[in-house]
Amino acid sequence: MKHQGKCAVEEPQIIIDVGDGAAIPKPSDKGLVSAWRLSFAGALLVLGYLLVFHPDPYLRIFKFIPDGILITFQVTVCSIALALVFGLITGLGRISRNKYVNLVASTYVEIVRGVPLLVQLFYIYYALGRIVHVPDLLAAVLSMSVCYGAYMGEVFRAGILAIPTGQTEAARSLGFSRTQTMYYVVLPQAWRTILPPVGNEFIALLKDTSLVSILGVADLLRRGREFASESFLYFETFTMVAVVYLIITLVLSKLVSIMEERLSHHVKR
Amino acid sequence: MSNDNPIIRITDVSKYFDTVAALTHVSLDIGQGEKVVIIGPSGSGKSTLLRTINRLEDISTGRIVVDGFDLDDKTVDINKVRMEVGMVFQSFNLFPHKTVLQNLTLAPIKLKGMSEKEADVMARQLLDKVGILEKADVFPAKLSGGQQQRVAIARALAMSPKIMLFDEPTSALDPEMIGEVLDVMVKLAREGMTMVCVTHEMGFAREVADRIVFMDEGQILEIATPAQFYTNPQHPRTQKFLEQIL
């Protein structure tokens, strides 16, 4: 097609496959003995076995950690919401035709990708701490969302670029502005391609929230460590913590795959 | 033709992709209600020329005035101009996440502030006109190419444009579906719509066009009525082109 001539000035399309997709079961896995089912059943069995046959210490541990699970959930949900906002802004910034907006967004991504999350956590916590006193929980959520916002920005960017230019041209030719085109035509379609990698990011984020225990946030891992350091039952405690994380992660990945299926239900390209 | 007061006035337009010239010194006036068919070998710049009329392509030099609006005038809201100029693409470009009906109503509702009810009634009339009313509530992916293109025409018409641009509307279609799309276009032409059409359909050009524009290598080589064009082409390049395709 000869209109592609103008691609000379456009960036080449890069499809980023974020995550190896291990966590989210594909719809085609249905009916099979899938890895997901095996892990989920296994995790529940182990949990049940430990609680029923070794209530001491496992039941004690199990009663000790729910506070932590709640905190882990709070950090995860808040971070996801904020990271989505950061991600969308970054993704739009990365494809912006405005040089400066583009530069700012790209720099943000480069910096965040170049610094380990753990270091970012410390940095935001202590750097912010010099100016204002930030509650631990807020510092944790901020760091997580700043970091994951950058990653999600790349996912959004790839998802938006994956929508054929014909869609944009059709919308523009009807009289939609650039912003309206993005909002009414491109993003609703991009969302479908974006969801699987974003889902993977959700799951990665959930697991990475365990890092915030370093900041003194009493999340699941922190509660486990508290229990272990009092009781010296390190193996038992961390077995329990690992199993609980696994169950939560598997449930989340199932939810994402259900959402994905719903979204792709009526529209097939 | 009423070319004293053209609705589209293209004056000495050139367009470069980097250093390659896509259009060189093209001038063309199109009158209200006129049907112009642009013909030429691929790479001749005919699609590029069409796309400059609603500024999907920017021009490098020259001037284009559409319905009184100078497209390069910074004070002109290009989106307003585009609302008056419908466009139909080779690859249909229907919105896959919307139903057929929603494809038609989206722009009138969001851009013209039409109520959902009004838009619905209007869209159904248009779908009836292009003969596809029964598919109003399905998604475009369920339609054949010919049906999709007819919906695309209806979608453009839903904005009640003064001008319709067609960019090789039948080139991506299976042969048996070309007729149904051309029928709709002929019907539209009969109603007096101003149409600019890039196409390889010689039968359509002969039947509908007031003037045929022949382009090659970014230039307009010949403008003629269909009768002149087919029976007595002036330019040697035109003669050669017609020999090859007829």
Side-chain angles (χ1 to χ4, degrees):
Chain A
M1 295 211 286
K2 44 201 169 307
H3 311 316
Q4 302 295 321
K6 77 171 182 213
C7 281
V9 286
E10 270 175 26
E11 267 181 88
Q13 289 206 352
I14 303 165
I15 306 300
I16 303 168
D17 188 8
V18 182
D20 51 8
I24 300 179
K26 290 200 189 86
S28 58
D29 291 343
K30 239 192 261 171
L32 300 169
V33 182
S34 66
W36 185 88
R37 285 178 186 202
L38 208 59
S39 332
F40 194 63
L44 287 181
L45 272 178
V46 168
L47 184 69
Y49 172 79
L50 292 178
L51 292 180
V52 173
F53 293 101
H54 304 276
D56 187 51
Y58 288 107
L59 196 57
R60 275 200 293 144
I61 305 173
F62 194 67
K63 283 180 175 162
F64 191 78
I65 53 178
D67 300 355
I69 297 178
L70 188 66
I71 296 286
T72 293
F73 265 123
Q74 283 171 348
V75 174
T76 305
V77 170
C78 295
S79 305
I80 283 175
L82 211 51
L84 277 176
V85 175
F86 287 165
L88 181 59
I89 295 171
T90 313
L92 291 174
R94 291 267 284 154
I95 54 170
S96 168
R97 303 201 309 171
N98 182 315
K99 265 202 308 232
Y100 300 101
V101 172
N102 203 312
L103 191 66
V104 169
S106 304
T107 312
Y108 163 52
V109 172
E110 285 303 327
I111 291 174
V112 167
R113 286 210 293 198
V115 179
L117 177 55
L118 191 52
V119 178
Q120 285 178 43
L121 275 174
F122 279 131
Y123 191 81
I124 290 188
Y125 185 63
Y126 291 111
L128 276 180
R130 294 183 72 144
I131 313 162
V132 279
H133 179 71
V134 200
D136 302 344
L137 203 62
L138 183 63
V141 168
L142 258 173
S143 324
M144 298 297 297
S145 7
V146 165
C147 175
Y148 272 88
Y151 291 121
M152 283 190 196
E154 289 304 274
V155 176
F156 273 96
R157 172 173 168 269
I160 290 168
L161 288 178
I163 302 302
T165 47
Q167 290 292 309
T168 306
E169 287 184 351
R172 296 307 305 276
S173 77
L174 286 167
F176 285 107
S177 70
R178 219 171 267 287
T179 316
Q180 288 170 323
T181 300
M182 196 47 90
Y183 184 76
Y184 292 121
V185 175
V186 177
L187 283 180
Q189 295 182 57
W191 184 236
R192 281 183 297 126
T193 35
I194 287 171
L195 191 65
V198 161
N200 267 323
E201 294 288 299
F202 285 176
I203 292 157
L205 190 148
L206 181 120
K207 291 183 290 180
D208 276 352
T209 55
S210 60
L211 289 171
V212 306
S213 62
I214 294 279
L215 300 184
V217 175
D219 75 329
L220 175 53
L221 179 59
R222 176 83 180 189
R223 289 294 279 171
R225 281 167 61 203
E226 282 169 10
F227 189 90
S229 59
E230 280 168 24
S231 63
F232 299 105
L233 296 167
Y234 287 98
F235 171 75
E236 291 81 355
T237 309
F238 288 117
T239 304
M240 191 52 112
V241 168
V243 169
V244 171
Y245 266 120
L246 180 59
I247 292 173
I248 296 174
T249 310
L250 288 172
V251 169
L252 183 61
S253 75
K254 192 67 180 177
L255 288 179
V256 171
S257 81
I258 289 170
M259 251 161 73
E260 194 183 325
E261 217 171 313
R262 286 251 172 97
L263 265 176
S264 63
H265 197 62
H266 50 232
V267 198
K268 287 194 189 70
R269 207 181 273 277
Chain B
M1 283 309 109
S2 55
N3 266 358
D4 320 328
N5 193 15
I7 192 164
I8 302 171
R9 170 159 267 176
I10 299 167
T11 316
D12 197 26
V13 163
S14 297
K15 156 99 187 157
Y16 303 94
F17 291 115
D18 292 328
T19 54
V20 184
L23 297 174
T24 40
H25 303 292
V26 172
S27 294
L28 179 66
D29 285 355
I30 296 167
Q32 176 99 46
E34 196 180 7
K35 290 105 188 86
V36 172
V37 169
I38 306 175
I39 287 177
S42 57
S44 59
K46 52 194 194 303
S47 281
T48 307
L49 177 63
L50 190 78
R51 290 158 58 89
T52 60
I53 296 173
N54 64 353
R55 230 182 74 188
L56 280 185
E57 301 283 356
D58 282 318
I59 56 176
S60 307
T61 60
R63 188 155 178 257
I64 298 179
V65 179
V66 176
D67 194 26
F69 295 105
D70 185 338
L71 297 194
D72 267 344
D73 186 341
K74 292 277 178 277
T75 62
V76 167
D77 180 0
I78 187 65
N79 297 322
K80 286 269 182 302
V81 181
R82 283 176 177 153
M83 285 160 73
E84 315 253 293
V85 185
M87 185 155 196
V88 176
F89 300 86
Q90 183 179 350
S91 47
F92 329 135
N93 299 344
L94 292 179
F95 305 135
H97 60 301
K98 302 277 183 196
T99 64
V100 164
L101 193 78
Q102 289 166 339
N103 262 276
L104 268 68
T105 57
L106 183 69
I109 290 173
K110 302 297 178 192
L111 298 175
K112 287 188 153 177
M114 207 180 261
S115 75
E116 218 152 296
K117 225 176 191 171
E118 254 180 301
D120 197 282
V121 172
M122 181 266 311
R124 284 181 193 277
Q125 279 170 357
L126 285 172
L127 286 176
D128 191 31
K129 182 173 168 181
V130 300
I132 204 160
L133 183 56
E134 73 281 6
K135 302 284 187 189
D137 297 312
V138 308
F139 285 90
K142 293 264 195 296
L143 302 181
S144 74
Q147 292 172 324
Q148 288 195 46
Q149 193 61 299
R150 283 187 281 151
V151 173
I153 294 172
R155 177 178 69 178
L157 290 175
M159 290 299 282
S160 328
K162 294 183 178 167
I163 302 164
M164 284 287 285
L165 310 176
F166 293 85
D167 190 2
E168 303 198 26
T170 55
S171 299
L173 294 176
D174 291 338
E176 75 269 22
M177 294 173 183
I178 291 175
E180 61 190 69
V181 172
L182 289 181
D183 286 348
V184 170
M185 290 169 64
V186 170
K187 202 162 145 190
L188 199 57
R190 300 246 187 284
E191 290 171 8
M193 177 65 77
T194 307
M195 290 166 69
V196 188
C197 188
V198 172
T199 185
H200 297 294
E201 294 300 323
M202 294 303 150
F204 173 80
R206 201 190 297 255
E207 186 183 339
V208 168
D210 295 312
R211 286 186 295 163
I212 293 178
V213 173
F214 180 75
M215 288 185 73
D216 193 20
E217 293 178 348
Q219 286 174 308
I220 292 180
L221 298 185
E222 187 162 352
I223 303 178
T225 63
Q228 285 170 337
F229 185 81
Y230 287 111
T231 53
N232 190 17
Q234 300 300 310
H235 199 284
R237 187 69 188 85
T238 317
Q239 292 162 0
K240 199 167 150 228
F241 179 78
L242 286 175
E243 269 167 34
Q244 280 165 345
I245 60 160
L246 292 179

